[in-house]
Amino acid sequence: MPRLSRAAAALLHGHPVAVVSVTMLAALVLSIGLTRLEFRTGQETLIDPTSKVAMDNERFQAQFGGDPMLVLFEASDGGTIQSLFSPANRTELARMERDLVATGDYHSVITPLMILELAQTQIQKRMIEEPLRLARDQAAASEQARTAAAVRGESVAQQDAAAAAASQAVADDFNLRFGADARRFIDAGEHSLDNARFVEFVLYGSDGEIRSDLAGIFPDERHAIMVVRLKGNLSIDDGSEVAATLVENAEAYQFEGVSMLVSGPSLLIKEINDEMRSSLLVMAVFAVLIMTTVLFLVFRARWRLLSLPAVLIGCVAAFGFMGFLGIPLTMVTISGLPILIGLGVDFAIQVHSRIEEETFATESAQSGVERTIALLGPALGVAVLAACIGF
């Protein structure tokens, strides 16, 4: 170690221009790699693509689609979401659905109109099936009661009375559960979405609240949600582009008495991603300004700002080396730039400060450099290695 330190010190002290020139040349060559850097935003940048979680997620998204985009419809003040189903608005909703499906960018498009039409079909089917089920249940209950009475040795009249009582009990239970809805169904009039009373019947139960099986799409009387699910396994960039397109295209549709708001995870991630990219340069400038201020005000040494350009050259070389190695820029790696500047300046200050101390103590620049390398070098080398392994 002493020989190595003396050799390094002699090289630095005897050929400073050559050392700086070679260092700058190496940094210049490495900087060419900056042009090869790629910004990746796929899920593989966030989680190990070979892990079970990643593979399960990939299969899930291939089957069921990716993140949902939510389009919130809100009735104007004083109105209800029923206004979304006026003839003009239904036509606009159907057009919106067709246009979105035609783009091929989405795994599925579920509109409030689709859910309302499905509910209409199910309710109409139920209103036909329930009376038939009531008749079957009454007949079964009557027969069971008649058989039980006969086993007990009761007369025919008593058997008839038991059968009638069982049948009436089934009818009473039916009326308790479905009677109010059945009467509302009859009173609603024409069973068409053009009939506002029938739309109200489909949306609301006999208790006056939104039906529980519709609450996911109609959270309350003034709001409805359209779910547009993106294709699965899209990169953050692709998902963000599709989300932004949906926001832009949504402005082309106009609904009477209803406003529209588009949101969703992909849109939020797009804003975060765009902000990170646009803020990268600003972040680097602020990091440099802060370090300059700190060095100028706190660091008491000659050439006190020398550490900063040295570290900036190192950062350029490091990111250029990443380009040559094919290591992509991600939301994680770009956030490391200000950290690298801070850590690099810290190491540089330690070397700079120790050289100053040793030079004044020995009254020799060569001795100062040699003693710094010999005494500080091993410890600083271990610290740098630990930081590299940590990164």
Side-chain angles (χ1 to χ4, degrees):
M1 182 64 71
R3 287 185 179 180
L4 183 60
S5 65
R6 283 195 295 269
L11 178 64
L12 291 173
H13 185 265
H15 307 281
V17 176
V19 171
V20 172
S21 298
V22 170
T23 303
M24 293 295 293
L25 180 61
L28 181 61
V29 172
L30 289 174
S31 68
I32 299 175
L34 293 174
T35 60
R36 301 188 180 188
L37 283 174
E38 296 180 357
F39 196 93
R40 293 184 189 172
T41 58
Q43 297 179 24
E44 72 279 359
T45 64
L46 304 176
I47 187 173
D48 181 6
T50 62
S51 69
K52 186 178 186 302
V53 172
M55 292 187 289
D56 288 346
N57 180 65
E58 183 177 354
R59 288 196 296 271
F60 177 87
Q61 291 201 27
Q63 183 69 30
F64 300 106
D67 290 329
M69 291 293 295
L70 305 178
V71 182
L72 178 68
F73 297 95
E74 182 178 29
S76 57
D77 292 340
T80 68
I81 201 59
Q82 283 182 246
S83 58
L84 180 62
F85 303 110
S86 67
N89 285 346
R90 293 206 312 273
T91 300
E92 196 74 349
L93 266 175
R95 182 171 75 92
M96 187 177 184
E97 177 194 350
R98 289 194 304 270
D99 292 347
L100 292 177
V101 172
T103 64
D105 293 331
Y106 308 101
H107 180 272
S108 60
V109 178
I110 302 176
T111 69
L113 179 60
M114 294 171 59
I115 299 301
L116 189 70
E117 290 173 340
L118 177 62
Q120 174 191 8
T121 301
Q122 293 299 318
I123 287 175
Q124 290 175 325
K125 183 179 178 181
R126 182 182 178 187
M127 290 302 173
I128 294 173
E129 291 179 346
E130 289 298 339
L132 297 177
R133 183 179 301 169
L134 172 62
R136 291 195 299 269
D137 291 346
Q138 284 181 301
S142 295
E143 182 63 26
Q144 185 177 4
R146 186 183 300 277
T147 301
V151 169
R152 290 192 299 269
E154 297 178 359
S155 65
V156 174
Q158 290 174 318
Q159 294 176 22
D160 291 341
S167 177
Q168 186 60 45
V170 172
D172 291 342
D173 180 67
F174 177 85
N175 287 328
L176 182 64
R177 290 183 292 128
F178 304 111
D181 251 6
R183 288 189 294 273
R184 291 177 62 235
F185 181 76
I186 296 172
D187 295 341
E190 182 185 2
H191 301 159
S192 166
L193 296 185
D194 291 326
N195 179 2
R197 292 188 64 187
F198 180 70
V199 172
E200 180 181 357
F201 167 77
V202 173
L203 286 175
Y204 297 92
S206 56
D207 59 357
E209 301 293 333
I210 297 288
R211 296 183 185 273
S212 58
D213 49 353
L214 299 179
I217 297 297
F218 302 94
D220 58 46
E221 64 179 12
R222 294 192 59 231
H223 297 92
I225 297 173
M226 180 168 76
V227 182
V228 183
R229 190 168 291 277
L230 305 184
K231 281 187 173 181
N233 298 311
L234 294 178
S235 69
I236 294 177
D237 277 344
D238 292 340
S240 298
E241 183 178 350
V242 173
T245 301
L246 175 59
V247 175
E248 295 173 1
N249 292 343
E251 298 176 358
Y253 305 95
Q254 301 297 325
F255 296 92
E256 299 174 359
V258 178
S259 60
M260 185 168 46
L261 175 66
V262 182
S263 185
S266 295
L267 200 59
L268 177 62
I269 292 175
K270 176 186 182 304
E271 294 295 330
I272 295 173
N273 198 24
D274 291 347
E275 187 66 23
M276 286 189 68
R277 290 189 182 186
S278 62
S279 299
L280 177 59
L281 181 59
V282 176
M283 181 172 58
V285 170
F286 269 100
V288 171
L289 290 176
I290 291 171
M291 292 311 303
T292 300
T293 303
V294 171
L295 288 173
F296 188 79
L297 297 179
V298 177
F299 189 39
R300 299 301 179 185
R302 294 173 296 175
W303 296 76
R304 63 184 65 181
L305 299 181
L306 180 61
S307 301
L308 191 57
V311 170
L312 293 178
I313 292 171
C315 288
V316 170
F319 278 91
F321 192 47
M322 288 172 56
F324 280 117
L325 294 179
I327 299 174
L329 286 178
T330 68
M331 288 192 294
V332 175
T333 55
I334 64 173
S335 64
L337 179 58
I339 302 174
L340 288 176
I341 293 176
L343 280 178
V345 170
D346 176 55
F347 288 130
I349 286 176
Q350 293 185 50
V351 176
H352 190 169
S353 179
R354 187 59 178 268
I355 288 176
E356 284 280 301
E357 292 176 5
E358 296 293 346
T359 298
F360 281 112
T362 61
E363 298 184 352
S364 169
Q366 182 175 359
S367 297
V369 172
E370 183 176 344
R371 285 178 59 81
T372 298
I373 294 176
L375 300 176
L376 183 63
L380 194 61
V382 172
V384 171
L385 180 61
C388 292
I389 293 174
F391 268 97

